[in-house]
Amino acid sequence: MDCSPADLQGLFGTNASSAAAEYICGRFDAVSSKFIDTGYAVDNTYLLFSTYLVFSMQIGFAMLCAGSVRAKNTMNIMLTNVLDAATGGCFYYLFGFALAFGTPSNGFIGRHFFGLSQFPSPSFDYGFFLFQWAFAIAAAGITSGSIAERTQFSAYLIYSSLLTGLVYPIASHWFWSVDGWASPGRADGLLFGSGVIDFAGSGVVHMVGGIAGLWGAFIEGPRIGRFDHSGRAVALRGHSGTLVVLGTLLLWFGWYGFNPGSFVNILKTYGESGSFYGQWSAVARTAVTTTLAGSTAALTTLFGKRLLAGHWNVTDVCNGLLGGFAAITAGCSVVDPWAAVICGFFSAWVLIGLNMLAEKVQYDDPLEAAQLHGGCGAWGLIFTGLFAKKEYVNQVYGGAENRPFGLLLGGGFGLLGAQIVQILAVTAWVSVTMGTMFFALHKLNLLRISHEEEMDGMDVTSHGGLAYVYEDKVHNKGGEIQL
């Protein structure tokens, strides 16, 4: 809203016309400033609310991990989830955010805002830092599930610090920073004319965490008793299906901040002001595509496992649901709801197939995290390259002329090519960094616990006692004796 006193002065016939015009324009300017302030407040409130939802996923991760391990390791896995958040908070504050979003920078690594110096800036406020921190610790939480029940506690601290302070931030800089070499937000030089569309992190978050977990679990080897002498898989079931379901539903709830919240703001119009359609509609559509992908994956897993194994398994359904969420995370903002159903259907079979392969090669991942987050995350990137809709791509990313969109919708190979490059780049980067770190810890005898500790359980050997206290009473002639 612009107001010029010179434009209004001719409308008044009094000697005070100049003063009257200046007064009216002053009121218009004041109202306009209030609208600007309100817009910032609405967008920041939306971002903070989304951050709280994403952080609530840590509760879901903790419950899911606890239910998926045996009771003797519950305290250990719960503590690692708490420390993922705490360690990640410190290291993302000191280094991570700067390496990820420290603009202006080069295409490979950020170089400003270490320790949040010169913060807030015209580009970023504190809410954005908090939102990105919640994503960083989600990646660390994924990895902890892969190496559960057999990893030294010191190794958890080392990998979590490296992942949240260096590995994840640099990967997120490549694809999410406006300076990143493969970012869709670059001013020029877009990869294949498109840049990578990884809206909320199928690659940046899920593949990074999943591939890190893959290397950790591979180098450690399977848990004792996971495979018999003939190589057949032996089920080492988690101790609580209740916690698995609770954790899954909490993660579902948090995903409504993870995916829709990645718009970062909500008060933005598409085209003419005053329309019912704007970014608020895209936010809602993203929540719908997220819901449909997860729901379809859950049902596909339910009936698929029924056909393959002959029973209805709640843990399989929960993992299938999460696999659908991990897959749709890349393209949730740029696909139609019908496409999300396709995404969820195929993500379920990707997870089932990778789990069958894992058993054949005697790979042991207690939470199926590498298969779920790494495998389904990679499928989600390919899916986006196939089904991204031109209208939505232009609304969400804009900028580039004739930007490529989904191959199957007539958008050419540009976007799909960029997505494949991301899969290869993330795989290579995480393998070189986290794979090397896990191998070094293994050689230094700092990775896996001893045979005796694994048999007894880490709650007793490392954490001072069991998670659950049982009181058994024996009756004798002299009274009750508590054991």
Side-chain angles (χ1 to χ4, degrees):
M1 294 172 61
D2 295 322
C3 181
S4 171
D7 295 335
L8 296 178
Q9 191 170 339
L11 301 177
F12 300 97
T14 65
N15 294 330
S17 59
S18 178
E22 289 180 2
Y23 175 79
I24 293 173
C25 279
R27 297 302 90 199
F28 270 110
D29 289 342
V31 171
S32 178
S33 296
K34 287 295 183 182
F35 275 119
I36 293 172
D37 293 344
T38 300
Y40 280 123
V42 169
D43 285 339
N44 275 278
T45 300
Y46 173 72
L47 182 59
L48 284 171
F49 178 72
S50 299
T51 301
Y52 305 149
L53 287 176
V54 176
F55 182 73
S56 73
M57 296 176 78
Q58 287 300 118
I59 309 171
F61 277 125
M63 296 299 101
L64 177 65
C65 289
S68 299
V69 301
R70 290 164 290 179
K72 63 183 180 180
N73 294 311
T74 306
M75 293 284 281
N76 173 263
I77 198 69
M78 294 283 276
L79 182 57
T80 61
N81 275 272
V82 173
L83 290 178
D84 281 337
T87 305
C90 293
F91 280 86
Y92 200 73
Y93 160 73
L94 291 172
F95 314 110
F97 185 83
L99 298 177
F101 297 100
T103 57
S105 62
N106 57 53
F108 291 91
I109 192 169
R111 54 190 184 190
H112 297 283
F113 307 134
F114 288 96
L116 295 188
S117 60
Q118 301 175 325
F119 211 81
S121 73
S123 303
F124 304 120
D125 206 342
Y126 289 106
F128 185 74
F129 162 78
L130 205 63
F131 185 69
Q132 295 301 333
W133 159 74
F135 272 62
I137 61 176
I142 292 167
T143 305
S144 67
S146 294
I147 57 177
E149 296 203 284
R150 61 208 192 273
T151 305
Q152 292 187 39
F153 187 69
S154 58
Y156 278 111
L157 296 176
I158 294 170
Y159 99 77
S160 184
S161 303
L162 182 66
L163 189 66
T164 55
L166 179 69
V167 178
Y168 168 84
I170 291 178
S172 59
H173 178 83
W174 294 351
F175 307 109
W176 284 350
S177 171
V178 293
D179 298 323
W181 61 269
S183 170
R186 287 180 64 91
D188 53 35
L190 289 170
L191 180 65
F192 298 138
S194 167
V196 169
I197 294 182
D198 187 11
F199 184 71
S202 288
V204 173
V205 178
H206 295 283
M207 280 194 66
V208 167
I211 293 172
L214 171 68
W215 281 108
F218 173 75
I219 291 171
E220 279 189 312
R223 292 166 291 172
I224 296 172
R226 180 65 177 90
F227 298 96
D228 63 19
H229 295 297
S230 64
R232 289 182 303 176
V234 177
L236 298 180
R237 299 194 182 280
H239 80 281
S240 176
T242 302
L243 289 177
V244 169
V245 172
L246 175 61
T248 301
L249 292 176
L250 283 168
L251 287 168
W252 188 341
F253 178 68
W255 235 290
Y256 290 126
F258 203 92
N259 286 2
S262 291
F263 279 95
V264 179
N265 54 51
I266 192 171
L267 201 59
K268 176 183 176 181
T269 58
Y270 294 151
E272 293 290 330
S273 295
S275 170
F276 70 91
Y277 183 74
Q279 189 133 295
W280 48 89
S281 300
V283 166
R285 183 184 67 242
T286 298
V288 170
T289 57
T290 300
T291 302
L292 290 175
S295 300
T296 303
L299 292 175
T300 304
T301 306
L302 175 70
F303 291 104
K305 292 295 287 187
R306 170 69 175 176
L307 291 173
L308 294 172
H311 54 261
W312 314 97
N313 189 300
V314 66
T315 302
D316 290 335
V317 170
C318 287
N319 284 338
L321 175 82
L322 297 177
F325 287 151
I328 196 61
T329 295
C332 55
S333 65
V334 294
V335 299
D336 275 317
W338 63 264
V341 173
I342 296 174
C343 177
F345 176 80
F346 282 101
S347 71
W349 290 110
V350 167
L351 181 58
I352 291 171
L354 289 176
N355 282 335
M356 294 172 66
L357 177 63
E359 289 193 355
K360 283 190 174 295
V361 300
Q362 297 188 29
Y363 170 79
D364 180 23
D365 186 326
L367 276 90
E368 302 174 7
Q371 303 94 296
L372 192 162
H373 297 278
C376 292
W379 154 243
L381 290 169
I382 294 172
F383 160 79
T384 304
L386 297 174
F387 289 97
K389 188 174 180 179
K390 181 178 182 179
E391 176 189 355
Y392 300 154
V393 170
N394 289 334
Q395 288 171 352
V396 175
Y397 293 98
E401 208 173 310
N402 299 319
R403 183 188 288 271
F405 52 99
L407 172 65
L408 297 183
L409 300 183
F413 286 91
L415 177 57
L416 180 60
Q419 305 298 93
I420 293 173
V421 168
Q422 183 187 10
I423 293 172
L424 297 176
V426 168
T427 302
W429 168 243
V430 178
S431 297
V432 168
T433 53
M434 298 301 292
T436 301
M437 184 216 67
F438 280 122
F439 183 74
L441 291 175
H442 170 68
K443 287 298 183 181
L444 294 171
N445 293 320
L446 295 174
L447 184 58
R448 184 158 184 159
I449 58 176
S450 67
H451 181 281
E452 292 74 19
E453 287 179 293
E454 190 169 344
M455 295 301 293
D456 292 339
M458 285 184 284
D459 287 2
V460 172
T461 60
S462 300
H463 304 291
L466 296 169
Y468 305 102
V469 177
Y470 300 97
E471 287 188 357
D472 294 324
K473 295 181 179 180
V474 177
H475 293 272
N476 59 23
K477 294 181 181 179
E480 290 183 349
I481 300 175
Q482 286 192 348
L483 301 178

